[in-house]
Amino acid sequence: MSGRIECRHNPGASNMRHHFGDFLDRDGSYWTIVPNRERYAHRIDDVPEASADIIITTIGKEDENWARVLAFPNLVELTLHEPTTEQLTAIGAMQSIKRLRITHARPQTLDFIRPMRGVEELVLEYVSGFSDLSPLGALPNLRALHMENLRRVSSFSGLAGAASLKYLAIYGTTDWEQPIDDFEFLCGLPQLEVFALWQAKCRAPYPAMLPAIHLRRLKKLRIHRSYLATDEFALLEEALSGVEGAAWGPFETVARSQIPLPADDARAGLSDDVIRANHPEVSLHYNGQRFIGDPASQWFEFTGRAAGRVKCSSPAAEAKCLQKSQLYDGMKQRARALVERERAA
């Protein structure tokens, strides 16, 4: 056998199941870990012990031969799905690991990760039992971190000091919002280029997002307009002017249903590449069809948590949007002064 291989297995023969897809933003070079849907193709099963050809594998509580993973000299990527305490404790000795994913686990601490100084990409999905993230902040080579549904975590101060971190995503779930005590930890992430929040809520009062002003290398921000208070979005617009995703405005138009793009519409004759680049309002389906929002189902959704909405066809829509726009402009003026003072300090 020549070259190195990945530990592969027929997914249909596995009892492991995972219901969610790949939430990693794979634009750029931040993530090389295999997508979620491919994890089961790398089960350890009956791979020969100490095989030098294995570079990727997956283990869990059902694997009797899981300890063989400790002897793979060239292993760089490891997924632990529903791991045992013994498995979590053992992986700390694996210095070759660069990409690590842990799902559905309840360790009381993340100290077992601290010795894994070579880890560059880390995914924690449905991992609870701990509240201290400082072992992650101590990883000198960590450059991409995705955390989802960390039920006992609300303070992210332990991440401060992750000087190499370029990508950070903090996710809740559709039925549970990830609480975040404050955003002071952003001051300790000087290399951050991508910051994403999904289904999250902030406990700190305004100006909670002011630490974002220190993200001088930030390129992309992904925060839905409903997660923070309205004045926090105005603050982010002023603090992160020019950053992709840091422009919400006082409201957006949202269609609750779609209709096929009419054949006589000018956009019908454009190429898919042009549509993707210049017309985000047009949805491209896998079968080649194109859809747009149904005008009869359109609403103005206002920026900010619980900020409300109004149907576009409502007689009150114009006045309501004007009122929200004036309020938002005032918030931006206040935020601009705050940002100027912070930068001058």
Side-chain angles (χ1 to χ4, degrees):
M1 183 182 297
S2 62
R4 296 177 182 174
I5 62 174
E6 302 164 354
C7 177
R8 292 193 172 272
H9 176 67
N10 177 9
S14 171
N15 290 325
M16 291 168 53
R17 294 291 182 267
H18 201 52
H19 65 277
F20 40 80
D22 187 41
F23 287 165
L24 308 182
D25 182 348
R26 294 186 180 269
D27 289 345
S29 58
Y30 303 105
W31 293 103
T32 57
I33 195 169
V34 297
N36 260 331
R37 64 181 178 274
E38 298 179 14
R39 66 165 72 190
Y40 309 120
H42 305 284
R43 290 292 299 274
I44 193 168
D45 285 342
D46 297 321
V47 174
E49 190 170 358
S51 173
D53 297 312
I54 303 302
I55 61 172
I56 301 175
T57 195
T58 296
I59 66 173
K61 64 182 181 182
E62 299 175 354
D63 294 301
E64 295 181 359
N65 297 323
W66 70 267
R68 291 181 178 179
V69 74
L70 303 175
F72 294 155
N74 298 313
L75 194 70
V76 295
E77 180 173 327
L78 176 63
T79 290
L80 296 98
H81 179 79
E82 296 185 351
T84 65
T85 300
E86 184 182 10
Q87 289 170 341
L88 291 173
T89 302
I91 66 170
M94 303 179 66
Q95 298 301 306
S96 65
I97 299 299
K98 294 184 178 181
R99 305 187 294 271
L100 178 64
R101 178 194 282 115
I102 303 174
T103 63
H104 293 274
R106 294 185 178 182
Q108 297 302 302
T109 175
L110 291 179
D111 282 338
F112 64 91
I113 293 180
R114 196 182 293 270
M116 306 179 73
R117 298 176 63 82
V119 170
E120 298 175 357
E121 303 174 25
L122 177 60
V123 177
L124 301 175
E125 296 169 329
Y126 288 68
V127 183
S128 60
F130 61 90
S131 59
D132 179 19
L133 296 177
S134 60
L136 308 187
L139 297 176
N141 296 301
L142 184 63
R143 59 179 174 82
L145 174 60
H146 175 94
M147 298 178 291
E148 181 180 339
N149 197 7
L150 306 186
R151 292 281 174 147
R152 292 184 179 273
V153 175
S154 62
S155 171
F156 290 81
S157 59
L159 297 181
S164 298
L165 195 63
K166 294 185 176 182
Y167 178 113
L168 174 61
I170 302 173
Y171 279 31
T173 64
T174 55
D175 62 352
W176 180 77
E177 291 182 309
Q178 175 68 59
I180 301 175
D181 287 345
D182 59 59
F183 289 92
E184 293 298 324
F185 65 93
L186 294 178
C187 298
L189 305 177
Q191 302 298 319
L192 200 64
E193 296 180 0
V194 177
F195 182 40
L197 296 178
W198 187 73
Q199 290 294 98
K201 60 182 178 182
C202 175
R203 292 175 170 174
Y206 181 87
M209 297 306 305
L210 188 59
I213 196 174
H214 298 286
L215 301 178
R216 295 181 174 86
R217 295 178 178 268
L218 197 68
K219 298 177 180 179
K220 182 188 293 187
L221 186 64
R222 292 170 52 205
I223 305 177
H224 190 269
R225 64 178 62 243
S226 64
Y227 295 161
L228 304 171
T230 306
D231 50 3
E232 299 289 357
F233 286 105
L235 174 58
L236 284 172
E237 286 198 25
E238 292 298 318
L240 300 175
S241 177
V243 172
E244 179 183 341
W248 297 269
F251 57 85
E252 71 170 340
T253 304
V254 177
R256 293 300 176 183
S257 60
Q258 292 184 318
I259 59 173
L261 184 68
D264 60 354
D265 190 293
R267 295 166 293 187
L270 300 177
S271 69
D272 286 354
D273 288 341
V274 172
I275 290 293
R276 292 189 184 96
N278 301 317
H279 295 279
E281 74 281 2
V282 180
S283 299
L284 299 175
H285 285 216
Y286 69 94
N287 59 5
Q289 288 186 292
R290 297 178 177 186
F291 291 83
I292 58 173
D294 181 356
S297 71
Q298 289 182 329
W299 294 74
F300 292 118
E301 293 195 349
F302 302 116
T303 299
R305 179 176 286 271
R309 63 178 185 167
V310 62
K311 198 161 188 179
C312 294
S313 59
S314 168
E318 183 176 357
K320 191 69 173 178
C321 288
L322 178 60
Q323 177 193 31
K324 291 289 187 177
S325 296
Q326 292 172 340
L327 289 172
Y328 200 73
D329 286 344
M331 292 176 182
K332 289 190 67 174
Q333 290 179 11
R334 179 173 67 151
R336 190 175 305 126
L338 186 61
V339 167
E340 289 174 355
R341 287 197 301 270
E342 183 71 12
R343 285 175 175 161

